Amino acid sequence: MLNNELRSDINRFQDIIRNLSMGVNRSGISWRDAQYAELAGKIQSLASSSKDVIQAGERCMDAMRRFDDIASEV
């Protein structure tokens, strides 16, 4: 059950970051200045950091699955 909740949270987080990135990219059509470049760079950095968070969440889910497997053997 907790694994499903974690998966849902990870997916929601990933969707939020993806939508934010796409929104900034669409805005770039009308923003061709230094502020846009700075914002785009920060969003790119955020997307990279979010990838680390997502991977950590997936590793956590794998560990929880393994723990459940071990617990069910006892």
Side-chain angles (χ1 to χ4, degrees):
M1 182 63 89
L2 185 60
N3 232 0
N4 291 337
E5 292 175 25
L6 184 56
R7 168 51 59 199
S8 176
D9 288 347
I10 289 171
N11 289 341
R12 193 169 349 125
F13 179 74
Q14 193 171 20
D15 288 343
I16 289 168
I17 297 300
R18 185 180 301 120
N19 289 339
L20 178 62
S21 181
M22 288 187 322
V24 169
N25 285 336
R26 279 192 298 263
S27 298
I29 293 170
S30 55
W31 296 358
R32 294 292 177 202
D33 60 10
Q35 288 179 326
Y36 170 75
E38 181 181 355
L39 177 61
K42 290 183 182 200
I43 295 298
Q44 192 172 37
S45 175
L46 176 63
S48 178
S49 296
S50 71
K51 180 181 174 187
D52 295 340
V53 170
I54 291 165
Q55 289 173 342
E58 289 174 348
R59 285 191 305 272
C60 179
M61 287 186 348
D62 288 341
M64 290 168 55
R65 259 192 302 274
R66 287 191 306 269
F67 180 78
D68 285 343
D69 290 344
I70 292 168
S72 68
E73 292 175 4
V74 175

